[in-house]
Amino acid sequence: MDPARSPRSSFAPCPRDRAPAGRAAATPTHEAVRTAATIDEASRSGAAPRVPRPALTLACGPLPIGRVFPIVDAGLVIGRGSECGLVVNDERVSRQHVRIRVAGGVWMIDDLGSRNGTWVDGRRLAAPWRGVPRSLRIGACVFVPIADTGAQPPATFVESDGTVAGFALREAWQRIDAAATGGLALHLRGESGSGKEVAARRYHAACAHRGAFVAVNCAAIPSELAERILFGARRGAFSGAVADVDGLIQAAHGGTLFLDEIGELPAAVQAKLLRVLECREVTPLGANRPTPVEFALVTATHRDLAAEIGVGTFRADLFYRIAGFTVVIPPLRERGEELAVHIARELGAMPGTAVPSPEFVEACALRRWDGNVRELRASVRRAATEAALRRETHLRAEDLPAQDAVAAQRGADPLADPEVVEAALRRYDGNISACARGLGVHRNQLRRWIDRLRLARAATAT
């Protein structure tokens, strides 16, 4: 039977399967955050470790998507029968369809002799399943397993400002809010497209500085212009300087400066930036006197800056100045509960009435999404276009674009695998611009990657 034509399901979790209300984790004081920023909150407060609360979230099925179904110690039985902990009124679902238990982080999934089968990670169960799943499909419904919903699960994954945040991302945001209210510089680590700028803007909204939010993509700044763009210049400082021009640091005075991909800054600029952060004053090119500046600082990178220090491409003193409070933004593949919301939003913004099939949502849950939310949105738009060309409204799993070797590498750091960069250079006959487009990076960033590869090899040779 076509899942698109199966009757709409309804869910009715029994009271006995509701997770008991727990005590909220204690909020760390600002002083505790200042003195031990990288220590776990529970350890700082002396509280006993909180027991994880696993659950299923609805990714495809009746609205509202994103509904959370806790899995208690006794487990959860899903089926059409009223005796089940989670009742699904779907003719493709058996009376007692599947039992799920979680112990020690291991999920135990047993099909209870269902007529149409239970699908875990895209495969139909032929025997009891043990492990950590990424998707569960029964009938026309797809669930995404969640290892821990936290002490106080949110009622929705959509924030008041419209951003989407699941359990893992909310934990990161709690740390970001603590850094902002505590007046700490924030360092973000995360893959491209994971939402580092969204996190930086959240920090700006929560901090005491009410000036402008100035975002700088350090990877896109040409090395020879970086100093002038960041610190400004005075008239006559160089040929063509006919007027005084403030830099982006001066533009952030009274607000927040966000330096994205800070690891791409040239060494000379790193030294001058360190001086600005320590003295809270900036000296434009050609100026005799420094100008006082005051701003909140957020830096971000997808690199391991500690490793960059080892090969001499990033200053250790600057690293210790910016990385005192580090927050890792989890990639989309670790935030599966957000998938359905992102898909629905993207389809809702497009003309037509496209609807994702259960198989489409399942395929999305199983992808790595190296490009994170940015890649997901583009893939959903493409899938909707493919369905429209067939004059259909339901998106199929095969409508997703194929993940070739080059696309799979775009979310990773090519420096981690020099062969990727070298293969791309050979493919494009050494053309830097064409190679950069093929890798999905800025050409200036590619040039700096090539320089780093040379440095790393020289360090290995010595």
Side-chain angles (χ1 to χ4, degrees):
M1 184 178 193
D2 187 351
R5 296 181 180 177
S6 62
R8 297 181 66 89
S9 307
S10 64
F11 295 79
C14 291
R16 66 175 181 272
D17 288 314
R18 292 175 184 156
R23 179 166 54 97
T27 302
T29 64
H30 296 164
E31 186 60 31
V33 172
R34 289 180 186 274
T35 57
T38 60
I39 300 177
D40 182 77
E41 279 84 354
S43 300
R44 282 202 301 267
S45 63
R50 184 178 53 79
V51 177
R53 296 182 175 180
L56 294 173
T57 59
L58 180 65
C60 183
L63 296 176
I65 56 175
R67 185 171 175 181
V68 179
F69 303 98
I71 299 176
V72 296
D73 293 341
L76 178 66
V77 175
I78 306 176
R80 283 192 296 123
S82 58
E83 71 276 11
C84 295
L86 178 53
V87 179
V88 180
N89 292 326
D90 182 344
E91 63 183 24
R92 296 181 60 187
V93 174
S94 298
R95 184 173 183 85
Q96 290 190 350
H97 198 107
V98 62
R99 176 186 292 112
I100 305 168
R101 292 169 293 166
V102 183
V106 177
W107 290 61
M108 296 164 280
I109 304 176
D110 298 291
D111 185 273
L112 302 178
S114 67
R115 183 177 67 255
N116 294 310
T118 299
W119 301 74
V120 177
D121 292 351
R123 295 184 178 183
R124 182 168 180 167
L125 292 189
W129 193 93
R130 305 293 182 266
V132 181
R134 288 185 290 169
S135 70
L136 171 70
R137 174 163 60 91
I138 62 171
C141 307
V142 178
F143 299 92
V144 174
I146 304 300
D148 186 13
T149 61
Q152 292 181 322
T156 175
F157 296 137
V158 181
E159 294 283 287
S160 58
D161 59 359
T163 56
V164 180
F167 302 112
L169 192 55
R170 284 174 188 266
E171 290 183 4
W173 281 2
Q174 288 175 2
R175 291 179 57 79
I176 291 171
D177 291 345
T181 56
L184 300 175
L186 174 66
H187 182 60
L188 301 170
R189 283 192 60 189
E191 298 177 1
S192 175
S194 58
K196 295 189 293 294
E197 183 166 343
V198 173
R201 290 184 180 277
R202 181 181 181 89
Y203 173 95
H204 174 64
C207 74
H209 294 78
R210 296 306 178 194
F213 176 84
V214 179
V216 183
N217 183 1
C218 298
I221 300 178
S223 299
E224 63 276 11
L225 300 179
E227 191 170 354
R228 175 157 56 99
I229 291 173
L230 287 175
F231 308 112
R234 292 294 173 257
R235 179 180 178 181
F238 52 87
S239 178
V242 297
D244 293 346
V245 178
D246 285 340
L248 294 175
I249 289 178
Q250 291 95 319
H253 178 64
T256 300
L257 177 66
F258 174 47
L259 297 177
D260 195 9
E261 297 302 343
I262 189 173
E264 303 297 333
L265 288 178
V269 178
Q270 292 179 28
K272 193 165 183 177
L273 175 62
L274 177 64
R275 175 75 179 177
V276 171
L277 298 179
E278 289 181 340
C279 301
R280 290 293 167 177
E281 57 184 25
V282 58
T283 304
L285 290 174
N288 296 322
R289 297 179 179 178
T291 302
V293 288
E294 183 60 43
F295 53 85
L297 177 68
V298 181
T299 57
T301 183
H302 70 286
R303 296 185 180 279
D304 183 354
L305 293 184
E308 299 280 320
I309 294 173
V311 296
T313 56
F314 199 81
R315 294 179 62 101
D317 46 7
L318 179 58
F319 173 77
Y320 297 128
R321 186 68 177 79
I322 66 173
F325 196 100
T326 299
V327 175
V328 177
I329 305 300
L332 181 61
R333 60 182 168 275
E334 297 177 9
R335 294 149 44 191
E337 66 274 17
E338 298 178 16
L339 275 173
V341 182
H342 286 298
I343 293 171
R345 279 192 161 192
E346 204 60 38
L347 292 177
M350 298 183 67
T353 57
V355 177
S357 68
E359 291 78 10
F360 178 86
V361 175
E362 180 183 57
C364 287
L366 297 178
R367 284 213 170 193
R368 276 185 53 82
W369 298 117
D370 290 312
N372 291 286
V373 178
R374 188 180 299 123
E375 181 187 358
L376 172 65
R377 289 173 175 170
S379 297
V380 171
R381 289 196 297 270
R382 171 174 168 168
T385 302
E386 294 286 354
L389 290 174
R390 297 193 308 270
R391 299 184 183 277
E392 294 181 3
T393 58
H394 282 80
L395 277 58
R396 305 174 182 173
E398 53 267 31
D399 290 330
L400 287 169
Q403 288 186 302
D404 55 31
V406 174
Q409 286 292 340
R410 288 181 179 171
D413 183 356
L415 183 60
D417 188 357
E419 294 181 0
V420 174
V421 177
E422 293 173 346
L425 286 169
R426 288 193 298 269
R427 186 183 305 114
Y428 295 103
D429 297 323
N431 186 310
I432 296 294
S433 296
C435 182
R437 286 193 296 271
L439 290 171
V441 300
H442 194 278
R443 62 179 181 275
N444 292 326
Q445 191 174 9
L446 177 59
R447 289 192 181 100
R448 286 191 277 268
W449 274 339
I450 294 171
D451 291 339
R452 284 188 171 91
L453 288 173
R454 291 170 181 160
L455 287 170
R457 285 176 175 170
T460 302
T462 57

